[in-house]
Amino acid sequence: GNVPGGCELKEFPEGIIIPGLIDSHVHAGNTAIMLSGVSMIDVTSVGQALKCIEERCLNTEDDIVFAPFFIPQQVKEQRFPNRKELDSVSHGKKVIVICITLHSSSVNTAAIDFVGINDIREGMGIDEDGCFNGELLEDEINFYVMSNLVAGISDEKYEKYIDDFGNMCAKNGITSAHCLEGQFMAGDRDIPIWLNRIEKNELPFHCVLYPQVWDYQQALAYGLPRHGGCLTLDGADMDYTMALDEPYTCKPEVRGNLFRKDSEVYNLVSKAYADNKQTAFHAMGDRAIDQLLDAYRRVIAEQGQKNLRLRIEHFTMPRPSHLKLASELGVVVSQQPEFPYIYDTEDGYVEEWFGKERVKRIEQYKQNMDAGIMVAGGSDSPVNSINPLTGIHGVVNGRFDTRRMDVKGALKMYTYNAAYAAFEEQERGTIKEGFYADFTILGQDPYEIQDKINEIEVIGTISEGRVVYAK
């Protein structure tokens, strides 16, 4: 039959129709910005990184050069390019090399001068002479510098990045995305731009915007029924800043950082809860999860259970007691299965960080669901690829049985469960009369090639009855 817009379904190659895929955790603006940069994903030495950066600096009209997806553990020197090295290849451009996690980076002199930092602050690396070496190793200083560089992008160019992101969603079968905006552009100038595009219905996907703003009063002006997103309570595993009970196995002197006081987290949650707003925070390590769950527990005890589906983003290394409490509180967890599927291999990075026993606690999708916790699937793009099928593949083919689920369970993480995480399960995430006509059309049946789901092509995407992509 026909769908609105006049495109006949018979024009598609024969394929498998599933509910439209939903990304429950994506940094949308940053995804488009970073994917337009010079990728560091395959570099294995500082010299190789510098060569790629210099080539881009010589061949772009952009004043700022982003070099994302850097993996310090992958390069021979086990470090970022330093400030002097970046100065030698930047040819007057501002340059930032960004760890794949987004939680640390390295900049050249032009970049740090543009931001206006003239002194050494916490989290800034120093060389043997006591001078700034270009490294930004903790969230506060890293996000500050990164967001001020991103703020150098014009509104016109940022609008184009939104269009680029929309095209990525369409090509990857994504009909809804929970976009975590703010925090990565100084002044949160990006949020009003996103809200304007949503109001005008100019996006090829349904956008659920999460405002990543620590100032609650400021966020009230946006008029959204939710607050937060990936507001970081701790750092990330690869950056050695994930807040752990026990130290990193490979760095016994380090057990990560909590970036906020308990009282600060509690006060923000309490204000939002009183206004009947859902909240969402980044909590990876067990210490950070402990901090957030305690705030949620206290606020619910004081104000009563409102079933606001309070969210925890990542929930990477919970203790068994955390699973029980999260289930009792009705907490929703948003997780990103591609990352452990790629990096948690026998003797791989994750095992190096946490050891052979503790690694089994990482990203327990099945165990979380069995405990009664609703688990939504997401990408965390640009940290991981934006393709939901890679995450679904990671769940079905996970390393440990505490992670693995069957195809149906994995698909639900990216359809019904993700819709539930945004209070939309009565209108999205299921193929059902009266629901939005959101469909993803696959070239092959994931039930039939369970070990190759990540190789399945999206051949069509229909968002709210509109054919937004046809291969």
Side-chain angles (χ1 to χ4, degrees):
N2 295 326
V3 294
C7 180
E8 296 184 357
L9 291 182
K10 68 182 182 182
E11 293 177 1
F12 287 102
E14 188 170 321
I16 302 296
I17 296 179
I18 62 173
L21 294 170
I22 302 171
D23 190 331
S24 73
H25 182 113
V26 58
H27 303 281
N30 256 9
T31 292
I33 292 169
M34 298 307 161
L35 287 175
S36 72
V38 51
S39 176
M40 301 279 102
I41 192 66
D42 294 322
V43 303
T44 56
S45 71
V46 168
Q48 183 184 2
L50 294 172
K51 182 177 180 181
C52 294
I53 291 167
E54 182 166 32
E55 183 177 352
R56 175 60 64 91
C57 289
L58 289 171
N59 292 285
T60 183
E61 295 180 358
D62 292 339
D63 186 46
I64 304 170
V65 172
F66 295 94
F69 314 123
F70 188 79
I71 302 176
Q73 292 88 342
Q74 182 174 279
V75 300
K76 179 176 62 178
E77 296 85 353
Q78 298 280 292
R79 64 171 176 84
F80 283 98
N82 64 41
R83 179 168 63 96
K84 292 179 181 178
E85 291 168 336
L86 292 174
D87 287 347
S88 71
V89 299
S90 58
H91 298 275
K93 307 286 187 182
K94 307 174 188 70
V95 176
I96 180 168
V97 181
I98 305 167
C99 180
I100 193 170
T101 64
L102 300 181
H103 287 264
S104 58
S105 63
S106 182
V107 294
N108 69 343
T109 300
I112 205 69
D113 287 347
F114 174 78
V115 173
I117 296 178
N118 301 311
D119 56 343
I120 303 295
R121 303 185 188 181
E122 189 172 352
M124 296 174 69
I126 56 175
D127 60 23
E128 60 275 8
D129 297 321
C131 299
F132 174 51
N133 67 4
E135 292 181 328
L136 306 169
L137 301 175
E138 293 189 7
D139 278 21
E140 184 173 1
I141 187 64
N142 176 54
F143 289 168
Y144 178 80
V145 173
M146 192 189 310
S147 67
N148 276 277
L149 289 173
V150 170
I153 298 171
S154 68
D155 285 359
E156 181 182 10
K157 188 158 190 175
Y158 191 79
E159 293 271 10
K160 181 183 180 301
Y161 284 135
I162 292 177
D163 291 335
D164 291 344
F165 177 77
N167 290 331
M168 293 177 206
C169 285
K171 290 180 180 179
N172 285 281
I174 297 170
T175 59
S176 295
H178 301 179
C179 299
L180 318 178
E181 306 310 306
Q183 185 167 269
F184 290 113
M185 180 180 278
D188 301 317
R189 201 179 80 235
D190 51 334
I191 295 179
I193 298 175
W194 277 99
L195 290 173
N196 182 55
R197 296 295 292 272
I198 293 168
E199 184 179 351
K200 291 181 177 180
N201 196 28
E202 293 180 344
L203 302 170
F205 66 97
H206 170 61
C207 178
V208 180
L209 188 71
Y210 280 78
Q212 297 184 135
V213 181
W214 280 102
D215 186 332
Y216 184 69
Q217 290 303 123
Q218 175 190 334
L220 285 176
Y222 302 131
L224 295 168
R226 62 195 75 91
H227 185 87
C230 204
L231 290 174
T232 51
L233 302 185
D234 65 342
D237 41 19
M238 190 177 286
D239 309 81
Y240 306 114
T241 52
M242 179 172 154
L244 304 169
D245 280 337
E246 301 296 328
Y248 279 86
T249 301
C250 58
K251 284 183 173 285
E253 74 281 9
V254 174
R255 64 186 193 112
N257 304 316
L258 281 175
F259 297 128
R260 301 284 170 169
K261 294 179 180 179
D262 291 354
S263 58
E264 186 176 2
V265 179
Y266 161 76
N267 287 332
L268 181 52
V269 172
S270 182
K271 290 175 184 177
Y273 198 82
D275 288 338
N276 298 314
K277 291 182 184 288
Q278 181 190 44
T279 52
F281 295 84
H282 161 122
M284 291 186 70
D286 36 22
R287 280 199 294 148
I289 294 169
D290 208 36
Q291 182 183 57
L292 183 54
L293 279 176
D294 189 61
Y296 284 168
R297 177 202 59 76
R298 180 179 171 187
V299 167
I300 290 173
E302 291 171 345
Q303 301 185 34
Q305 176 59 269
K306 298 182 180 182
N307 298 313
L308 292 179
R309 301 180 188 177
L310 306 177
R311 289 176 53 151
I312 301 180
E313 311 301 305
H314 306 304
F315 203 63
T316 305
M317 187 182 284
R319 296 192 294 268
S321 59
H322 290 150
L323 273 61
K324 183 176 184 296
L325 182 56
S327 177
E328 291 173 353
L329 297 177
V331 166
V332 173
V333 167
S334 173
Q335 298 189 290
Q336 301 78 43
E338 181 180 316
F339 191 89
Y341 181 76
I342 291 174
Y343 296 104
D344 182 20
T345 57
E346 186 74 29
D347 299 322
Y349 289 134
V350 180
E351 199 168 280
E352 176 186 330
W353 301 330
F354 304 118
K356 290 185 179 295
E357 287 305 312
R358 198 166 31 157
V359 75
K360 297 174 185 177
R361 288 170 50 198
I362 296 286
E363 304 274 347
Q364 306 170 99
Y365 319 115
K366 183 179 186 302
Q367 192 155 316
N368 292 339
M369 291 289 288
D370 289 346
I373 301 170
M374 181 62 77
V375 180
S379 67
D380 201 18
S381 180
V383 176
N384 303 303
S385 76
I386 198 171
N387 181 3
L389 294 171
T390 60
I392 293 167
H393 177 89
V395 174
V396 174
N397 300 283
R399 184 179 176 196
F400 300 112
D401 58 9
T402 54
R403 291 182 196 157
R404 284 193 301 273
M405 289 195 289
D406 59 17
V407 174
K408 181 178 180 180
L411 285 171
K412 283 187 70 176
M413 283 178 61
Y414 288 82
T415 53
Y416 176 85
N417 295 12
Y420 180 93
F423 294 90
E424 295 186 332
E425 76 279 8
Q426 295 302 318
E427 56 189 39
R428 302 180 192 275
T430 305
I431 298 176
K432 187 176 181 180
E433 185 176 357
F435 281 45
Y436 282 101
D438 292 342
F439 308 113
T440 302
I441 307 174
L442 305 178
Q444 292 171 284
D445 187 343
Y447 287 90
E448 294 182 357
I449 53 167
Q450 299 187 19
D451 61 338
K452 295 182 179 179
I453 295 174
N454 56 340
E455 297 178 11
I456 295 176
E457 281 191 297
V458 172
I459 60 175
T461 306
I462 300 174
S463 177
E464 298 185 354
R466 300 168 296 167
V467 178
V468 294
Y469 174 69
K471 182 174 173 58

